[in-house]
Amino acid sequence: MNDRPMTAAATTPLAINAAFDGGNIRLVRVDGDRIDLEIVKDRDSDYFQWFYFRVAGGAGRTLTYRILNAGSSAYPFGWPGYKARASTDRQAWRMIETRYADGVLEFDFTAETDLAWFAYFAPYTMEMHAALIARTALLPGVTHRELGQSLDGQAIDAFTIGTGPKQVWIYGRQHPGESMTEWWMEGALERLTDSADPVTATLLEKATFHVVPNMNPDGTYRGHLRTNAAGVNLNREWATPSAEKSPEVLCVRNAMDATGVDVAMDIHGDEAIPANFIAGYEGIPSWTDAHGEKFYDYGRRLAAHTPDFQTEKGYPKSAPGTANLSMSTNQLAERFGAVSMTLEMPFKDHDANPDAEYGWSPERSKQLAHAMLETLADVIDAI
């Protein structure tokens, strides 16, 4: 947890609070209708960008919120064109007009109710995660395992679904501030447990799915952007994970070693690029064009399957022999010969198919999971 409850000066009834599951903000000052704030750094780290806080006592007022240290955040180039999310019920998270200038992120909000919440993206808290785990574990055909524990002692939960010979590992939330990833996971689990769906039935005959919805429960609860309780970026630990720094990766990779991996999907969010895309494993020592073509074919098919995916925008490809094997997608492609991919979803919107009210949203994240599983069904025989 980043902060305790904070109340503005006695002359105003406003109260700014981030002392809850996933919360992150620090109150600097209240000056009339202007509220100055700072995002708190991840513990033992310089990373920060995720914010999530509530405001009490603002009914009937138009307040201006200014995040003063936005320009020093992990990815300041992501702020131009970004719109903060606001909610009065913590269910619907709408975009609000947001300005970024001189290192300050600023937005106005006129509250019609006493309470309002603001976040970098629609939150997916550890309480929501616990509910997802509980209801999924009760479904037929699902096996739950606790693969290990985080540094704070939280469970690293995994589900096994299906009986087919192909081993598909889906894991997300290595970077806890990328909350769209667990919305995607919710959608994937809903589809994989739909016993009436013919696509699901085919997939589960051909593949066994191993799903880890949240790789970083400590960072999620603490309101971190990118790291675990030790300030470690888990997606730089896959070459040499350790019980001391990254037990979350260690227990998952050990489980992968026990099953092998044919397909790996690492689910993420990207701060700057207004599009959904996948990154691959170009540059690994064992790269072959035939292996890489399986990854490219999947991306082309997915783009043809849904307007919420594209292949034009994305990260630069690694040059031959330069892949960072501490990143999971590269490590698993090299270690197992897996068709391995990193999905990146936007904090902004998928500009090729925009939504003016919600932008990229929880529901669209869930639907993209469905589309990715449908596309996987088309190619699983060739992998």
Side-chain angles (χ1 to χ4, degrees):
M1 197 66 61
N2 288 292
D3 270 306
R4 306 316 306 164
M6 298 166 289
T7 304
T11 55
T12 172
L14 289 175
I16 316 301
N17 192 316
F20 47 77
D21 182 356
N24 184 323
I25 209 69
R26 177 187 293 125
L27 176 63
V28 176
R29 70 182 67 86
V30 175
D31 184 2
D33 289 335
R34 191 184 77 191
I35 301 171
D36 288 345
L37 306 161
E38 289 182 342
I39 304 172
V40 180
K41 290 181 179 180
D42 293 5
R43 180 182 177 181
D44 297 330
S45 168
D46 288 331
Y47 286 114
F48 69 92
Q49 194 131 350
W50 170 261
F51 61 89
Y52 177 27
F53 62 95
R54 77 171 205 177
V55 179
R61 299 174 64 178
T62 298
L63 301 172
T64 297
Y65 300 89
R66 303 199 313 157
I67 298 179
L68 303 181
N69 63 344
S72 301
S73 64
Y75 304 102
F77 49 82
W79 296 125
Y82 163 79
K83 294 183 179 181
R85 296 337 193 254
S87 178
T88 56
D89 60 6
R90 297 195 305 164
Q91 301 297 316
W93 291 88
R94 291 176 170 84
M95 296 191 304
I96 55 177
E97 289 300 322
T98 303
R99 305 174 292 278
Y100 178 69
D102 300 323
V104 176
L105 190 77
E106 185 175 301
F107 49 87
D108 305 321
F109 189 78
T110 303
E112 298 178 357
T113 57
D114 184 62
L115 285 172
W117 286 261
F118 304 92
Y120 189 26
F121 191 83
Y124 204 104
T125 64
M126 282 307 298
E127 180 56 34
M128 296 168 70
H129 169 83
L132 174 66
I133 297 303
R135 66 177 181 266
T136 304
L138 291 173
L139 297 174
V142 175
T143 299
H144 170 269
R145 291 183 293 162
E146 182 174 315
L147 298 181
Q149 295 183 353
S150 68
L151 287 170
D152 283 345
Q154 296 195 76
I156 305 302
D157 292 298
F159 294 113
T160 302
I161 309 168
T163 58
K166 299 291 176 67
Q167 303 296 315
V168 179
W169 278 84
I170 303 176
Y171 54 102
R173 210 86 192 258
Q174 292 201 75
H175 299 150
E178 298 163 13
S179 57
M180 64 283 288
T181 67
E182 202 152 4
W183 288 108
W184 188 101
M185 286 289 180
E186 183 176 299
L189 286 169
E190 288 174 354
R191 189 63 181 271
L192 288 170
T193 56
D194 184 354
S195 59
D197 183 76
V199 173
T200 294
T202 297
L203 272 174
L204 298 186
E205 289 174 357
K206 296 180 178 182
T208 299
F209 285 80
H210 309 273
V211 184
V212 184
N214 190 323
M215 290 278 297
N216 196 338
D218 297 351
T220 300
Y221 186 80
R222 291 168 177 268
H224 286 188
L225 172 71
R226 199 165 173 85
T227 68
N228 69 358
V232 171
N233 177 356
L234 294 182
N235 202 27
R236 299 298 184 273
E237 291 289 304
W238 285 79
T240 56
S242 70
E244 295 72 29
K245 290 173 46 183
S246 50
E248 304 90 345
V249 173
L250 181 62
C251 70
V252 173
R253 203 190 71 173
N254 285 345
M256 290 175 169
D257 283 342
T259 65
V261 183
D262 295 299
V263 178
M265 294 181 175
D266 182 17
I267 312 304
H268 284 263
D270 181 82
E271 290 77 10
I273 299 175
N276 291 301
F277 60 95
I278 53 175
Y281 43 91
E282 297 89 354
I284 64 170
S286 63
W287 169 272
T288 67
D289 290 343
H291 184 202
E293 177 55 27
K294 295 179 181 180
F295 165 76
Y296 295 134
D297 179 57
Y298 180 85
R300 290 191 297 266
R301 288 173 181 264
L302 182 59
H305 187 64
T306 174
D308 273 342
F309 185 79
Q310 56 79 58
T311 58
E312 289 76 30
K313 297 178 181 178
Y315 297 149
K317 298 176 183 178
S318 295
T322 66
N324 184 348
L325 296 181
S326 71
M327 299 174 68
S328 67
T329 289
N330 292 328
Q331 176 65 212
L332 300 180
E334 181 68 18
R335 191 180 191 91
F336 301 105
V339 177
S340 188
M341 66 192 73
T342 303
L343 171 68
E344 298 284 356
M345 292 177 284
F347 283 89
K348 297 176 180 178
D349 199 353
H350 184 68
D351 278 4
N353 187 33
D355 182 328
E357 186 173 8
Y358 293 99
W360 189 248
S361 65
E363 185 56 35
R364 294 174 76 188
S365 300
K366 293 172 67 172
Q367 290 302 314
L368 181 58
H370 289 218
M372 290 183 69
L373 290 172
E374 291 161 1
T375 304
L376 182 60
D378 290 339
V379 301
I380 193 70
D381 288 335
I383 290 174

